[in-house]
Amino acid sequence: MAQSSNAAAGVDNTFRRKFDREEYLQRAREREEKEAEGRSKSKSRGPPVQRKPLKHRDYEVDLESRLGKTQVVTPIAPLSQQAGYYCSVCECVVKDSANYLDHINGKKHQRALGMSMRAERATLEQVQRRFEVLKKRKDTGGFTEQDFDERILKQQQEEEERKRQRREKKKEKKKEKATEEEPEVDPDVAAMMGFGGFRSSKK
């Protein structure tokens, strides 16, 4: 009996997990060293990218070419043929014109074009040259009341011409309808019946 009690005393029946503190401290140090190396590598990949300053758009933004047109859209169509405005630089589709303008003026699009969001600082000479160009444009482009009256008169004449052409087209359509609706009658039969035709005398 005494032997069995001694044997039971030697058994570890606490079921608690024991951690080796030194081992885990060592692992933590190694992980921190790896992270520090990764950070230094990412920083030392190369010199920072030099982006060009913002510049004026040298093309017209086309927002109205597909206005009022119907387009069949399928889910398997490529992005460039889907509904909305397609940006070939960023390869994305924007659903309306306001968001499209926001996109092409935004940071992501400008970075893809290789530009930063900072404008180039103008020198004194550039500003003076710009003022001279604007002054010349203002002097040469003098707009008088006579020019204004001439433009109004020209627009009125063009509008009258368009109205006249519309009236002529309507008359032609009416004539075509009238000739289509007239029944075809044999002239011999009409003469036997005692009348020259089915046309009305009104014109």
Side-chain angles (χ1 to χ4, degrees):
M1 293 288 252
Q3 284 182 351
S4 63
S5 64
N6 286 341
V11 175
D12 184 14
N13 56 2
T14 57
F15 298 108
R16 288 186 64 195
R17 195 169 170 195
K18 292 182 178 163
F19 294 99
D20 185 3
R21 208 175 159 126
E22 288 298 320
E23 180 186 347
Y24 284 99
L25 278 170
Q26 184 62 31
R27 281 190 195 177
R29 284 191 203 105
E30 287 173 6
R31 189 176 65 241
E32 284 174 0
E33 286 173 12
K34 282 182 185 175
E35 286 174 0
E37 284 175 18
R39 270 189 246 125
S40 64
K41 278 182 183 176
S42 65
K43 284 180 183 175
S44 62
R45 277 182 187 165
V49 178
Q50 287 292 330
R51 297 184 186 280
K52 293 180 280 183
L54 275 176
K55 61 178 182 179
H56 287 287
R57 206 178 285 124
D58 55 356
Y59 60 92
E60 191 74 26
V61 179
D62 180 28
L63 297 175
E64 298 175 356
S65 65
R66 295 195 290 175
L67 191 67
K69 292 184 180 177
T70 308
Q71 180 182 0
V72 178
V73 179
T74 59
I76 56 169
L79 280 174
S80 59
Q81 295 173 3
Q82 288 187 6
Y85 295 91
Y86 176 67
C87 174
S88 57
V89 177
C90 304
E91 295 182 356
C92 65
V93 176
V94 186
K95 295 299 178 188
D96 59 32
S97 59
N99 285 333
Y100 179 66
L101 284 173
D102 285 345
H103 169 74
I104 62 175
N105 293 329
K107 188 183 284 187
K108 181 184 172 191
H109 185 81
Q110 298 299 334
R111 280 200 173 161
L113 289 173
M115 288 189 275
S116 68
M117 292 302 286
R118 292 189 179 134
E120 188 177 9
R121 194 167 173 84
T123 62
L124 179 63
E125 291 81 25
Q126 288 174 325
V127 174
Q128 288 172 340
R129 259 186 269 130
R130 184 72 176 160
F131 276 133
E132 290 299 321
V133 168
L134 291 173
K135 277 183 189 174
K136 286 177 185 173
R137 189 187 299 172
K138 193 174 180 182
D139 293 341
T140 56
F143 196 72
T144 62
E145 276 188 47
Q146 188 178 355
D147 296 337
F148 186 67
D149 292 337
E150 285 175 8
R151 281 176 66 180
I152 290 176
L153 189 65
K154 189 177 178 183
Q155 284 179 347
Q156 286 174 348
Q157 288 172 350
E158 287 173 359
E159 186 64 31
E160 285 173 10
E161 181 66 25
R162 279 196 291 269
K163 284 179 182 176
R164 189 183 60 75
Q165 286 176 354
R166 274 191 230 125
R167 282 196 297 266
E168 286 178 4
K169 282 182 184 177
K170 280 184 182 178
K171 283 181 184 176
E172 286 175 12
K173 283 182 182 177
K174 282 183 182 178
K175 284 179 183 176
E176 287 174 10
K177 276 188 180 179
T179 54
E180 286 174 7
E181 290 174 2
E182 280 181 11
E184 291 183 18
V185 179
D186 190 13
D188 296 332
V189 174
M192 283 173 50
M193 293 177 81
F195 42 80
F198 289 105
R199 286 186 187 170
S200 64
S201 58
K202 290 181 184 177
K203 282 202 176 178

